[in-house]
Amino acid sequence: MSGERLTATPAGVVLAPLADIPDGTARNFVLQMRAGRFHGFVVRDGARVTGFVDRCPHMGVPLAQRLDAYLTPAGDLIACSWHGALFARDTGLCVGGPCVGQRLVAWPVVVTDGIVTTA
């Protein structure tokens, strides 16, 4: 097995029931695949989820220092806990901090019949 950190996943991987991700929060997912390990997270807004690769464009590190701690205290933005970069919850666009104008890498996810899966 490779120790490489992946930036994409195949479609159709079941992640979790939507009900297991409280509305207005984010949740981490680590998937071990033959080619390596993938780290990503989803942000839930009602019935919609948006996925991102867990890697800050500023320094290439995972965003959260604590499990599932991806959002600002107000919950309105995604935050890199290492250097303070702030990202829009829906697009991943950096709107504050050291990487303004850059973007988180999107991770395609969908909700089908109440189950969050990769797309």
Side-chain angles (χ1 to χ4, degrees):
M1 240 186 280
S2 170
E4 184 178 342
R5 192 163 180 151
L6 305 176
T7 57
T9 59
V13 176
V14 173
L15 299 174
L18 182 63
D20 286 358
I21 306 167
D23 191 15
T25 68
R27 181 164 168 201
N28 168 275
F29 292 92
V30 178
L31 306 176
Q32 181 64 51
M33 296 180 282
R34 276 188 226 104
R37 186 172 286 168
F38 173 85
H39 295 258
F41 66 98
V42 298
V43 178
R44 179 177 175 193
D45 289 302
R48 191 178 108 223
V49 293
T50 306
F52 299 100
V53 174
D54 190 4
R55 188 170 193 267
C56 182
H58 171 234
M59 292 293 291
V61 297
L63 294 166
Q65 292 185 44
R66 290 183 302 109
L67 185 63
D68 298 336
Y70 292 98
L71 304 179
T72 58
D76 57 335
L77 295 168
I78 298 166
C80 176
S81 61
W82 297 99
H83 299 104
L86 299 171
F87 305 88
R89 289 172 53 120
D90 58 345
T91 64
L93 178 66
C94 185
V95 296
C99 54
V100 170
Q102 292 182 318
R103 212 174 266 282
L104 296 173
V105 174
W107 178 33
V109 293
V110 294
V111 178
T112 306
D113 297 327
I115 304 296
V116 181
T117 59
T118 59

